[in-house]
Amino acid sequence: MRNINECLQPLLDTERLAQLARYIHDAMRTNPGKTDTVSTLAALYPRYDRYLPDIFNAIKALDYSSLKAQVYKRRRSQYKSLKTCFKNNRQFEVSQSWSQFQIVNRSKDSVALRELLLSIDSAIEQGELLKSCKATTVSLYTMGNGQRVIIKRYNPKSTLHSLKRSLILSRARVCWQGALHLAAMGIATPENLAMLEKRQGKWIHYSYVVTEHSEGKTLGSYCSEENNCTIRGNVYRELEDIFVTFPQVLIAHGDFKSTNFIVENSRVLMIDLDSMKTHRSHCIFRGTYLRDIDRFERNWGNAPEAERLFRPLINDIRRLLNREIILG
């Protein structure tokens, strides 16, 4: 299934439609049961759901509207399994003591990463400071093995705020889980390397997340450097895919600033995931996601060419949400 998702990604709409139709036709012929069909559709990235009504109307095998709710439920159950990202397993090494909670991505583990985690505050100071405010500190650091990484520290705004965050997921945990959610949804993001919480029992003082560093440009910089702000078709398509994906799974990013979209080799990566939230209510999600879209629109207040470029996309998503045709 990973192969079909990757094969579809660079294709144009008409090519995607044809490729998906062939894939679904073959899958239904091999496994004709309704349950097998739901499994096949749920394994597709949500970005491709918009093509499915036309495909099912053409093959006249099953009514897609009767499958849509089941596909949504199957995906939600799959995403619930991501909660194991805070437990020791084959993918992540988890260690816990009175004073800290730590997760390391086993596939990215190294001596240099362990050394960084032992003196993470010193690493932040030694690195290139990208952001420093009361809530967060972000640093670009070069580890001993030469790998450049992003270290993000979430600072307690006050003792009361620290206690409150200790009762729910720390922002580092939200960010860590959010990256795994995006990967499952087919949205690119810098890969998690490690997460750390400095604690006193259950009381979290500071939390940290370490990710790979992307060498790409922010979407705002990318647009301003393109002639007449006509970004390449595959970048625009990536943005379109991202915008239609979130409503399919009722997950909101929480901050569509242009600096949170990174363009790297014609791919669009999303960063700053600590405000991501999963919703149960379609109505509440709709309001939250419309605020995300409004935030994206405000990026281009002083960039009229970019505003004209993204206007059709913004309007399409608003219409889609207002007509409630995504998950209705």
Side-chain angles (χ1 to χ4, degrees):
M1 180 56 61
R2 180 178 173 81
N3 290 336
I4 184 65
N5 280 315
E6 292 181 348
C7 287
L8 290 168
Q9 196 156 337
L11 300 180
L12 299 174
D13 282 350
T14 53
E15 296 169 326
R16 284 179 172 180
L17 195 62
Q19 185 83 359
L20 261 175
R22 284 194 295 270
Y23 174 76
I24 291 171
H25 180 269
D26 291 344
M28 291 180 64
R29 186 174 56 186
T30 305
N31 300 296
K34 188 173 182 179
T35 301
D36 292 319
T37 301
V38 169
S39 299
T40 297
L41 299 180
L44 290 168
Y45 288 157
R47 64 180 63 184
Y48 304 127
D49 288 2
R50 55 190 160 159
Y51 305 107
L52 298 181
D54 290 338
I55 292 173
F56 277 85
N57 286 338
I59 62 179
K60 295 181 172 30
L62 287 169
D63 178 15
Y64 175 66
S65 62
S66 68
L67 298 174
K68 186 166 64 170
Q70 295 179 56
V71 170
Y72 168 72
K73 288 179 182 177
R74 181 67 60 86
R75 284 196 182 123
R76 293 284 284 200
S77 66
Q78 292 169 353
Y79 295 156
K80 284 181 181 178
S81 68
L82 294 177
K83 292 181 179 179
T84 61
C85 67
F86 303 125
K87 298 180 180 179
N88 203 50
N89 54 47
R90 287 181 296 178
Q91 189 176 2
F92 305 118
E93 179 188 300
V94 177
S95 57
Q96 186 172 6
S97 67
W98 173 263
S99 59
Q100 72 172 38
F101 178 88
Q102 178 177 288
I103 307 176
V104 175
N105 185 339
R106 293 183 188 273
S107 67
K108 300 294 180 178
D109 199 2
S110 66
V111 173
L113 180 59
R114 297 290 179 159
E115 291 174 348
L116 181 157
L117 292 171
L118 286 173
S119 54
I120 194 164
D121 289 309
S122 296
I124 290 173
E125 293 175 3
Q126 294 168 19
E128 177 187 347
L129 201 61
L130 303 180
K131 178 182 178 181
S132 181
C133 65
K134 188 175 183 179
T136 57
T137 304
V138 184
S139 177
L140 173 59
Y141 177 74
T142 303
M143 297 196 298
N145 60 4
Q147 182 182 4
R148 303 175 82 197
V149 299
I150 294 293
I151 309 171
K152 190 166 188 177
R153 180 178 66 205
Y154 297 99
N155 308 315
K157 298 177 183 178
S158 65
T159 301
L160 181 61
H161 177 265
S162 177
L163 288 170
K164 179 183 175 182
R165 293 305 310 191
S166 300
L167 297 175
I168 57 178
L169 291 183
S170 68
R171 292 175 70 190
R173 289 204 194 205
V174 173
C175 191
W176 181 268
Q177 190 175 51
L180 299 177
H181 262 125
L182 290 188
M185 292 155 55
I187 297 175
T189 189
E191 190 165 1
N192 289 334
L193 301 182
M195 192 213 79
L196 176 67
E197 291 173 349
K198 291 188 175 181
R199 314 166 64 106
Q200 188 175 354
K202 293 185 178 295
W203 184 5
I204 301 171
H205 294 285
Y206 292 89
S207 63
Y208 310 75
V209 64
V210 184
T211 69
E212 293 182 336
H213 169 60
S214 169
E215 300 290 347
K217 304 173 182 177
T218 66
L219 182 60
S221 298
Y222 181 82
C223 286
S224 65
E225 292 174 13
E226 289 292 308
N227 292 330
N228 299 319
C229 198
T230 54
I231 65 176
R232 288 189 286 271
N234 49 348
V235 171
Y236 188 92
R237 196 180 317 114
E238 282 261 311
L239 286 169
E240 183 181 38
D241 285 341
I242 288 171
F243 280 18
V244 300
T245 292
F246 284 106
Q248 298 290 354
V249 290
L250 298 187
I251 295 176
H253 176 272
D255 191 359
F256 273 7
K257 286 189 298 190
S258 64
T259 52
N260 289 335
F261 296 85
I262 305 296
V263 181
E264 181 184 66
N265 298 326
S266 298
R267 284 195 317 159
V268 178
L269 293 80
M270 294 211 70
I271 61 171
D272 204 5
L273 312 180
D274 50 82
S275 296
M276 276 185 63
K277 188 173 182 180
T278 301
H279 294 269
R280 293 181 179 272
S281 164
H282 295 230
C283 183
I284 294 175
F285 166 79
R286 179 180 170 276
T288 302
Y289 198 58
L290 283 172
R291 286 193 292 274
D292 276 354
I293 299 302
D294 290 344
R295 182 63 187 89
F296 184 79
E297 182 180 32
R298 292 199 301 274
N299 291 320
W300 320 113
N302 296 319
E305 291 186 1
E307 198 279 336
R308 282 194 295 270
L309 175 69
F310 292 123
R311 173 55 51 196
L313 176 58
I314 292 169
N315 289 343
D316 284 347
I317 296 299
R318 282 181 176 149
R319 269 195 300 270
L320 208 56
L321 291 169
N322 288 334
R323 281 159 34 188
E324 297 182 347
I325 64 172
I326 294 180
L327 285 170

